[in-house]
Amino acid sequence: MLRYAAIDIGSNAVRLLIADISKHEEGFNFKKNTLIRVPLRLGDDAFLNHHISAKKVDDLLKTMSAFKNLMDVYGVTKYLACATSAMREAKNGAEIIKQVKKHADLDLEIIEGQREANIIYSNHIEENLDIKKSYLYIDVGGGSTELSVFVNREPIASKSFDIGTIRILDNQDKEETWEEMKNWVKDQTRDLKNLAGIGTGGNINKLFRMSEEKDGMPLPYLKLKTLFNNLNSHSLKERITIFGLNPDRADVIIPACEIFITLLKWTGIKQIYVPKVGMVDGIINLLIEENLTHSTYA
């Protein structure tokens, strides 16, 4: 069995996905074998101090060592480890990369917003899109929001904005960035008919499950708004006890709702599809494309 691994070092959580790769008539696909999520919250340090503290670096090194051990046990042959918004902003990011290499023997790459968007594209959600519709693809993370516009199943524009859930919780989101995002999204979608939304990220996945909509069906804007109002009317503690949310989800879900609702309102989008894929899935797909699709193995 061929196994690949994806590591996503985000601003809120760090994830490891180990996937089993299989060949079929039209190419390759993968099945999730093991997914581990560790809520390190690197963004709290990065956005407030532009420096990741010794304690968080230590926690990250322990996590990376554990991930490396698991990858060895599972017989992973290829991996890609990417760090996003928090590590982009931390002045000691380059030093942390060296420490991860030394302590865990893992190569870590700090990626720019555009590469992050490209990795998320690798999920090829456009293959399942309705050709008659245009789409605004919204990926909300802890430190940034990646937006892409699809017309005729092709991405025609994409941009990364420094607006994310941890950044908002820490009051590090800027008025001018919101304004820039508003202008960009209005310019890109102004002339598009039949515009629908696509949402990815842990928060929208959770909101979709809470909505009890059927898989494959879109989440209506009004239902998302109702969910938000309900969640927002409860305290953090109540969101944990009443809705069964993990503590590290119960706070970020509110700013995530705000980002999605704001973007849908600006564009007049009435429904959003939630394909339940994210950065780690994109990394696995990218590894398949780079290593198998054009190789002798194929």
Side-chain angles (χ1 to χ4, degrees), residues 157-176:
S158 73
K159 197 162 170 61
S160 177
F161 295 91
D162 285 342
I163 290 173
T165 57
I166 303 290
R167 212 183 279 272
I168 292 171
L169 284 179
D170 291 340
N171 292 312
Q172 297 302 304
D173 55 317
K174 296 186 172 74
E175 189 76 36
E176 56 266 33

Side-chain angles (χ1 to χ4, degrees), residues 3 7 9 51 99 151 193 212 227 239 263 292-293:
R3 286 204 173 117
I7 295 173
I9 298 174
H51 185 275
Q99 290 190 52
V151 177
K193 303 281 183 283
E212 297 181 338
L227 268 170
R239 291 199 291 271
L263 284 161
L292 297 177
T293 312

Side-chain angles (χ1 to χ4, degrees), residues 246-294:
N246 289 336
D248 64 289
R249 177 71 65 210
D251 55 355
V252 291
I253 205 163
I254 297 295
C257 277
E258 288 169 349
I259 296 169
F260 280 108
I261 286 168
T262 302
L263 284 161
L264 298 190
K265 200 162 65 181
W266 284 342
T267 52
I269 290 173
K270 298 286 187 288
Q271 53 188 23
I272 184 163
Y273 291 86
V274 184
K276 292 187 192 163
V277 294
M279 185 76 176
V280 283
D281 306 81
I283 291 172
I284 298 291
N285 278 315
L286 188 68
L287 286 170
I288 289 172
E289 280 174 24
E290 289 178 349
N291 294 286
L292 297 177
T293 312
H294 309 295

